[in-house]
Amino acid sequence: MNGLINYVSCGVLWLGLLVKAPDLVRHRRDPYLRAICAVLGLAGLCFLLGAPPTVGAVNRLSGVPNLAAPLTYAAITGYCAASQVLVVHWRGGPRVHRTARRWTLAYAAVVLGIAVTFALGDAPVERRTDLDTYYATTPFIAQMIVLYLVAHLIAVTVTTVSSLRWARRVRGGLRAGLTLLGVGSLCGSGYSVAKLVAVGASWSGRDWSALDTAFSPAAAGLGALLMVVGVLVPLVTPRVTEWRRARRTYARLEPLERALDDLLTRRALRLPRPRFASPATRLMWRQTSVHNALGHLDAYFDRDLYDRTRAGVLAATGDPERAEADAWAAVIVAAVRHEAEPEGVAPLPGGAGPLPGRVPGPAALGRIADVLAGTAPLPPAPAAVPSGRTTAGTA
């Protein structure tokens, strides 16, 4: 009686609406986005209005017994219309707007029918949880109940079929989201099916009100949870994928930063470490530290060592990217050692100096870090490479 399931379901749905609200503000003319927000908002409103405490409050404030019932049914019908419009925009095609308009008009007619039948009927006894079965045989009220339940069942059935059918043609987060949305709609169908069965039982003199008061709210709550997750998954998945990629790259660059750690500390080249930052921010911090160190070492890079090492590894492996990474690893470690020598020692003569046009990019930094970590073992050094050539794992 406390309506906990209803309020939790409403909160979950409106939380999803809150997540989508910034996108709606930026793209308020996007009909697909408007449909998603309408589905979330109206579904939450259905649970809010259907909670027994809310039902009692509406009836008491209005002074009309059971007025909360047609209001709830109208919200459910609006949710059905929004669901159908969402499905129409998913499908696309040349008649999207015309089809969406037809669904909207059809469910507007259902809302009108709910209002008319409730006005014509007589429901003087307040029923907060079992109105559907209590008034299942009352003229006009019974027609109102069947009207909204059939409209709801049609909507969730179409949504289930369309979502699961489309899910088979896509991949990734969109497929997961559509599958969850389809399964959630299927669970939601349990709401209307259970109530229709309970109403039919009342017509034959049986009391199956437990389906109305216990099973249908649980099915609707589970369906709402799966639905909101399904709507949000395609939105969240790209962001999560980006975070995972940034986290992996951040960890991958750790051997390179470790090789430069003494220089970064001694020369105060490292920016303050960000706290409570996203993986992308931490990755940018590490890349900035590495670039600061490489910029400081620019005058100490041995161009001859780079060229000889690259040529030797390229001859041994035939992999230009691998050869470039090995050459940079050798040059960086040699430059770090030379820069750390006692003050007064000048940069390497002759072959030393910047390597124009060869500054390693983000992908190259990862390969260099792999060499320094020993995850990309070097081939035997050819004779052309000096004996001082640094091997993997040396820092």
Side-chain angles (χ1 to χ4, degrees):
M1 290 292 291
N2 59 12
L4 179 61
I5 293 178
N6 292 68
Y7 291 133
V8 170
S9 300
C10 175
V12 170
L13 287 160
W14 282 358
L15 178 61
L17 177 61
L18 183 64
V19 172
K20 295 294 293 182
D23 293 334
L24 180 62
V25 172
R26 289 192 297 267
H27 309 286
R28 59 178 59 90
R29 294 186 178 180
D30 184 350
Y32 172 71
L33 190 56
R34 289 204 305 265
I36 288 179
C37 293
V39 167
L40 295 174
L42 288 170
L45 182 62
C46 295
F47 284 107
L48 178 64
L49 292 175
T54 306
V55 171
V58 171
N59 294 337
R60 183 177 63 256
L61 294 174
S62 65
V64 179
N66 299 308
L67 178 63
L71 294 179
T72 303
Y73 300 161
I76 291 174
T77 304
Y79 158 75
C80 294
S83 299
Q84 296 313 303
V85 172
L86 177 61
V87 171
V88 168
H89 285 291
W90 272 349
R91 288 176 176 174
R95 299 181 179 179
V96 169
H97 297 291
R98 180 183 302 177
T99 305
R101 191 180 303 111
R102 287 177 178 176
W103 278 111
T104 303
L105 292 175
Y107 278 93
V110 174
V111 171
L112 179 61
I114 291 172
V116 171
T117 51
F118 180 77
L120 294 175
D122 184 22
V125 180
E126 182 186 63
R127 308 301 298 186
R128 297 190 180 185
T129 59
D130 62 346
L131 183 142
D132 292 339
T133 50
Y134 187 86
Y135 286 107
T137 57
T138 301
F140 295 108
I141 301 298
Q143 284 76 9
M144 177 188 70
I145 294 169
V146 172
L147 179 62
Y148 97 86
L149 288 176
V150 171
H152 178 269
L153 183 58
I154 292 174
V156 293
T157 300
V158 173
T159 303
T160 299
V161 173
S162 301
S163 299
L164 296 179
R165 182 180 297 171
W166 189 24
R168 292 184 297 180
R169 301 198 296 265
V170 295
R171 293 291 183 270
L174 181 58
R175 183 175 190 175
L178 287 170
T179 302
L180 288 170
L181 189 61
V183 174
S185 299
L186 182 62
C187 292
S189 68
Y191 170 84
S192 51
V193 169
K195 282 183 174 288
L196 284 171
V197 171
V199 169
S202 298
W203 293 345
S204 61
R206 297 182 178 86
D207 182 13
W208 288 3
S209 58
L211 289 174
D212 181 20
T213 59
F215 180 82
S216 60
L222 178 60
L225 176 62
L226 293 175
M227 186 188 72
V228 69
V229 173
V231 170
L232 295 179
V233 161
L235 174 68
V236 174
T237 299
R239 195 169 303 172
V240 172
T241 302
E242 180 183 349
W243 286 351
R244 290 178 59 186
R245 186 183 299 112
R247 190 178 296 111
R248 287 196 301 266
T249 305
Y250 175 84
R252 185 184 183 188
L253 291 179
E254 194 273 336
L256 177 55
E257 185 190 7
R258 188 172 61 245
L260 299 168
D261 183 69
D262 177 69
L263 171 65
L264 288 167
T265 303
R266 183 162 37 83
R267 300 295 185 181
L269 299 174
R270 183 187 281 117
L271 297 175
R273 183 185 295 271
R275 295 183 179 181
F276 309 108
S278 66
T281 301
R282 292 197 299 270
L283 173 60
M284 184 178 299
W285 169 80
R286 177 161 281 178
Q287 288 175 332
T288 301
S289 299
V290 169
H291 281 295
N292 288 345
L294 295 182
H296 180 79
L297 292 173
D298 187 66
Y300 295 87
F301 288 154
D302 189 335
R303 188 181 308 171
D304 291 341
L305 175 59
Y306 177 93
D307 292 337
R308 291 195 304 270
T309 303
R310 185 180 185 281
V313 177
L314 183 60
T317 64
D319 185 348
E321 292 183 348
R322 170 70 176 279
E324 181 183 14
D326 290 333
W328 269 112
V331 168
I332 289 171
V333 174
V336 168
R337 287 179 174 175
H338 185 66
E339 194 275 342
E341 292 178 1
E343 293 184 0
V345 177
L348 293 171
L355 302 172
R358 296 179 181 176
V359 176
L365 290 179
R367 292 190 291 269
I368 296 168
D370 292 342
V371 173
L372 294 172
T375 57
L378 295 175
V385 179
S387 59
R389 168 73 165 90
T390 303
T391 58
T394 304

